[in-house]
Amino acid sequence: MANYISKHSLARLVGHFTQNDLSGAPEGFKPHPKPVYLSFGVPNSGFFPIESIHATVKDYPFEQNAGSSSVANSNGTTNGTTNGDHKSLKETNESFITTPAHTDDPKLIDIARGLQYSEVNGLTPLLNFTREFITRTHKPGYEDWSTILTSGASDGLLKAADVLLDPEDVILIEEVTFSPFLSSVKHFGGISVPVKLNIHNGSDGIDLEYLLDLLENWETLKPNLRRPKALYTIATGQNPTALTQTLGFRKKVYALAEKYDFAIIEDDPYGYLTLKPYEKPAKEADLQNLPTVEDYLKNELTPSYVTLDTSGRVIRVETFSKLFAPGLRLGFIVAHKNVIDAISKYATLVTRSPSGAAQIVVNNTIQLKFGGLEGWLEWIVKMKATYSHRKNVLLQSIYESEAFEKKYVDVIDSKAGMFAVAKVNFPEGTDVPAKIRLLHFKFINYGVNVVPVVSMTVDKEFSKDKANFFRLSFAPASNDEELAEGGRRLASAIYDFFEKGLEY
Amino acid sequence: MANYISKHSLARLVGHFTQNDLSGAPEGFKPHPKPVYLSFGVPNSGFFPIESIHATVKDYPFEQNAGSSSVANSNGTTNGTTNGDHKSLKETNESFITTPAHTDDPKLIDIARGLQYSEVNGLTPLLNFTREFITRTHKPGYEDWSTILTSGASDGLLKAADVLLDPEDVILIEEVTFSPFLSSVKHFGGISVPVKLNIHNGSDGIDLEYLLDLLENWETLKPNLRRPKALYTIATGQNPTALTQTLGFRKKVYALAEKYDFAIIEDDPYGYLTLKPYEKPAKEADLQNLPTVEDYLKNELTPSYVTLDTSGRVIRVETFSKLFAPGLRLGFIVAHKNVIDAISKYATLVTRSPSGAAQIVVNNTIQLKFGGLEGWLEWIVKMKATYSHRKNVLLQSIYESEAFEKKYVDVIDSKAGMFAVAKVNFPEGTDVPAKIRLLHFKFINYGVNVVPVVSMTVDKEFSKDKANFFRLSFAPASNDEELAEGGRRLASAIYDFFEKGLEY
């Protein structure tokens, strides 16, 4: 695997001035068994103003006032609680968790360790949890893998780009993508080359024939560029197309990676949010009849590239942003241990360790509230069911519109993630880019904000035929009504636009 | 000020695909007053498993069990509390603070905002606090300054290096220094040039004549290097020499910066921990007879470079690591607003925002427990008094040793920070580097870990005459006895070494 690691990454030297060099010790030298440390500029945890941290944790997404009745609140601030009753609330005390100043429990991060300088790869309890989690969800197909915590997916992607790309190195990228990654590639002097996508229901996204041709005839098609060193793909619930590659498709792409010897960066922020095919939504998300964790893992989760990996060429980028909360700035990377070691050096020099406060919140919530891995997976199942319901609400509002009935608009019924895609069906011969620009003003006038897929291209010219797609997120809305209203406004704007002969 | 900003920093473009381009709107276009956002891939805060976060906060450093008696604890874990009594504990309820899911209080960060994606410069309440804090403690000498949050001092230093240094740019650095910064300089292709220090009681650190000569005769002395673009200095409680520059000295250095047109990176992690001159320590730190905040600010705190700055050439790097806790990974930078804008672009592309979990903990502790700025400054006064006591305990253990009596060892009585420096007085003609190496093994054998100052050099050869200095930190010890034991072991090791004729 070491041959994929960038030269500048391999060249990094790290070390710390407080490390004792014990080479050349005099005859009879013996270190003291209990040294006193006057070495580190590290405040004793007794200096921290925080004695303990507590949290009230929900049993279900959107549950309010979890455990609040048991919590003293004497600061004159309100947390908005009047009662702790909720149909899904277990005994209130179970929702109140405590991070003590000190504990010997190896699964917990206490204040003394969590708020102290710590290992750049992450605090041991949470680092161990990421390994346990991946072993259960996406176990790599080889032995020598490892994990490292990151400050969220963007940080993880930057680290993946750093560990792979020297200046002038080429990376293949889905033609519309999470475009901030393009800046990460550029930051290291890498070159992004788009790969064609097919955007329709049932598509795997990447156009396999296009990719095959590109790889087979690289020297002819891209005579001035090095052969690709990596592929960056969001294989599940792709951003912005909402498409998910099937397992069979992934196997074909992985075989190409083996044949043409490139690495794969698998960005998977949404993959755990598996979505059922559209059905007319019930009044609210059904959180009482959920699949078992076993069922979810076996039948709903598409195995990721890292599970197919046998030669350590996949770098899997995970995040706690979508399953826990984005503001934590916490995620992790799964890769070959040589790659993790190289990333760890970058972290030592550039980012340092992720915030211990975030690590405390995530780790101890998972351990104390959810009881560890299985409980955390149960939470994920509740999350994905809530997102499934939201998708249904949004899609219903479009499916039941006149615009849809008249086939002015189509929708991608996504299998995972937090996005759907609306496709506007213009008559043949339309100047699509010009009309789309006009239509976008219509959307804003009707009061619905969406993302034109072409604002996320690797190369605007390459992707000009994708101008009639819009990304719709069902994640931010406060409730079903807001979501449905968004869909209705979108459909009405399109209907009005078409009825006016594609004029504002 | 813009002329100090590095070319690569000025060249950065940032933007986001969800930004609406509203140029070229059609006749009569009007945005909807209440749009629905289907644009962002941002989970609604209802998805966060955390409903509220609470903390028990101390009134004094090393106080235990703050407010614990009021806290429900039902997870089977112990937080080690048996009672909430402590001489310094106010009413227990005042120590228990709550961060609610939602609040309208502009000084607080609630869960919905704190755990959400947020402004890269920092969440408004904490960002405002940093401005209020600096206005009171180190008000810049000009108007157009600003602040930006960082993920701790190391992140702040990396950002300062990025904003100033293009490849081959030269930065002057105290010859022994916080050496990880040298890696930051190298990371951007900058060149570190050492500046001579004088290490003795009463010294300002930097050898002003040396610096003057260097600047006056740069072209002769450093014919192959560009003129220095910046000076990096830890002006208060310097790491590792523990020296503090006087105000008069700073004025002279700032005048040189004006004359020779270089920027100053002022790294100040320890400066608030002002220390009284050594006196025989009392049984414990006197936290009952503390100076007022006014007195502390006026008479104990040395005005920093940013207070002398009139042309926006100082970049002040602050951290919450030493005053709150290092594991938060939270700090901030004070600089000219053009510099802050440039740093903000780097943050957008590379680091993103610091963890919201850390921002919640710091901001809401300061606001809810300490009541804002004045209470936070009162906490700092308690911290510095505790460190003052610790310094006395450590120095006493050395002053009362035989090694000190026989003048084998000397100590720098630091005026600020968490370090003291031991100087080993070898007879003239000693091969100091060889003997120091041997002595270091002696320290480890006696069970005391210290940092040889020469392990923190810019240039080993340049600083070979500093080989007989060791940095001693009084921050990590758990209690006075451990600290005194460390000092005694150090002195005994030196005594034994000298009595054996400088042999192990």
Side-chain angles (χ1 to χ4, degrees), chain A residues 101-273:
Chain A
H102 301 278
T103 177
D104 292 329
D105 187 335
K107 298 224 167 204
L108 294 185
I109 300 170
D110 61 25
I111 299 293
R113 286 177 300 164
L115 294 191
Q116 190 55 276
Y117 289 109
S118 67
E119 307 85 331
V120 75
N121 286 22
L123 286 152
T124 307
L126 187 55
L127 199 56
N128 286 345
F129 176 77
T130 63
R131 288 171 189 159
E132 194 189 351
F133 179 77
I134 283 299
T135 301
R136 185 105 164 87
T137 58
H138 290 287
K139 194 180 174 197
Y142 62 101
E143 291 298 316
D144 285 343
W145 59 275
S146 190
T147 61
I148 183 170
L149 297 190
T150 64
S151 299
S154 296
D155 179 47
L157 292 175
L158 195 78
K159 283 169 173 161
D162 170 73
V163 84
L164 289 174
L165 303 177
D166 282 308
E168 308 298 319
D169 276 350
V170 169
I171 181 164
L172 302 175
I173 302 188
E174 288 151 343
E175 63 171 311
V176 288
T177 190
F178 176 65
S179 48
F181 182 67
L182 303 171
S183 305
S184 301
V185 171
K186 202 175 151 198
H187 184 70
F188 297 106
I191 296 170
S192 300
V193 169
V195 177
K196 196 183 162 207
L197 297 182
N198 298 318
I199 314 180
H200 57 76
N201 273 307
S203 167
D204 290 290
I206 291 174
D207 184 317
L208 197 63
E209 289 200 21
Y210 179 91
L211 178 62
L212 257 168
D213 181 53
L214 186 64
L215 291 168
E216 264 175 36
N217 303 299
W218 185 267
E219 282 72 17
T220 319
L221 294 167
K222 307 279 177 189
N224 300 317
L225 295 182
R226 295 181 190 167
R227 287 200 69 90
K229 190 153 186 196
L231 165 70
Y232 167 72
T233 179
I234 308 166
T236 311
Q238 205 260 353
N239 184 6
T241 64
L243 298 167
T244 296
Q245 300 167 10
T246 59
L247 175 58
F249 186 84
R250 291 171 201 224
K251 285 180 177 168
K252 289 176 193 161
V253 172
Y254 184 78
L256 289 176
E258 288 279 323
K259 181 172 175 187
Y260 292 101
D261 200 17
F262 57 83
I264 296 174
I265 300 177
E266 160 174 75
D267 183 14
D268 197 8
Y270 322 104
Y272 295 103
L273 303 173

Side-chain angles (χ1 to χ4, degrees), chain B residues 117-385:
Chain B
Y117 290 109
S118 66
E119 307 84 331
V120 75
N121 285 24
L123 286 152
T124 306
L126 187 55
L127 199 56
N128 286 345
F129 176 78
T130 62
R131 289 172 189 158
E132 193 189 352
F133 179 78
I134 284 299
T135 301
R136 185 103 163 88
T137 58
H138 291 286
K139 194 180 175 196
Y142 62 102
E143 291 298 315
D144 285 343
W145 58 276
S146 190
T147 61
I148 182 171
L149 296 190
T150 64
S151 298
S154 296
D155 179 47
L157 292 175
L158 196 78
K159 283 169 172 158
D162 171 74
V163 84
L164 288 175
L165 302 177
D166 282 307
E168 307 298 318
D169 276 350
V170 169
I171 180 163
L172 301 175
I173 301 188
E174 288 151 344
E175 62 171 314
V176 289
T177 191
F178 175 65
S179 47
F181 181 67
L182 303 171
S183 306
S184 301
V185 171
K186 203 176 150 195
H187 184 71
F188 296 107
I191 295 169
S192 299
V193 169
V195 176
K196 196 183 161 205
L197 297 182
N198 297 317
I199 314 180
H200 57 76
N201 273 308
S203 168
D204 289 289
I206 290 174
D207 185 318
L208 196 64
E209 289 201 21
Y210 179 91
L211 178 62
L212 258 168
D213 180 54
L214 187 64
L215 291 167
E216 264 176 35
N217 303 297
W218 185 266
E219 282 73 16
T220 318
L221 295 168
K222 307 279 177 189
N224 300 317
L225 296 181
R226 295 180 190 168
R227 287 201 68 92
K229 189 150 186 199
L231 165 71
Y232 168 71
T233 179
I234 308 165
T236 311
Q238 204 261 354
N239 183 6
T241 64
L243 297 167
T244 296
Q245 300 167 11
T246 59
L247 175 57
F249 186 84
R250 292 171 200 223
K251 286 180 177 169
K252 289 177 194 161
V253 172
Y254 183 79
L256 289 176
E258 288 280 322
K259 180 172 176 187
Y260 291 102
D261 200 17
F262 57 84
I264 296 174
I265 300 177
E266 159 173 76
D267 183 14
D268 196 10
Y270 322 105
Y272 295 102
L273 303 173
T274 55
L275 306 170
K276 287 190 196 166
Y278 172 78
E279 56 185 36
K280 209 169 159 145
K283 200 168 156 26
E284 55 182 39
D286 182 2
L287 299 180
Q288 305 310 315
N289 300 297
L290 296 167
T292 63
V293 166
E294 209 51 47
D295 194 30
Y296 162 74
L297 293 177
K298 203 172 155 189
N299 300 318
E300 299 193 21
L301 212 58
T302 309
S304 67
Y305 278 104
V306 85
T307 68
L308 308 175
D309 194 14
T310 50
S311 52
R313 63 175 69 249
V314 175
I315 301 178
R316 177 173 171 80
V317 178
E318 288 238 4
T319 176
F320 287 105
S321 289
K322 312 301 185 186
L323 301 177
F324 204 112
L328 297 163
R329 304 284 73 218
L330 201 63
F332 60 97
I333 292 173
V334 187
H336 190 280
K337 70 181 175 47
N338 293 351
V339 174
I340 297 296
D341 287 348
I343 291 173
S344 179
K345 288 198 285 177
Y346 175 85
T348 301
L349 289 171
V350 181
T351 61
R352 315 294 160 120
S353 58
S355 174
Q359 295 188 61
I360 284 175
V361 169
V362 168
N363 184 77
N364 294 359
T365 296
I366 289 173
Q367 294 301 335
L368 291 173
K369 170 62 186 175
F370 297 119
L373 179 61
E374 292 307 302
W376 177 240
L377 288 166
E378 283 166 17
W379 172 260
I380 290 174
V381 168
K382 292 170 190 169
M383 289 284 279
K384 69 106 199 165

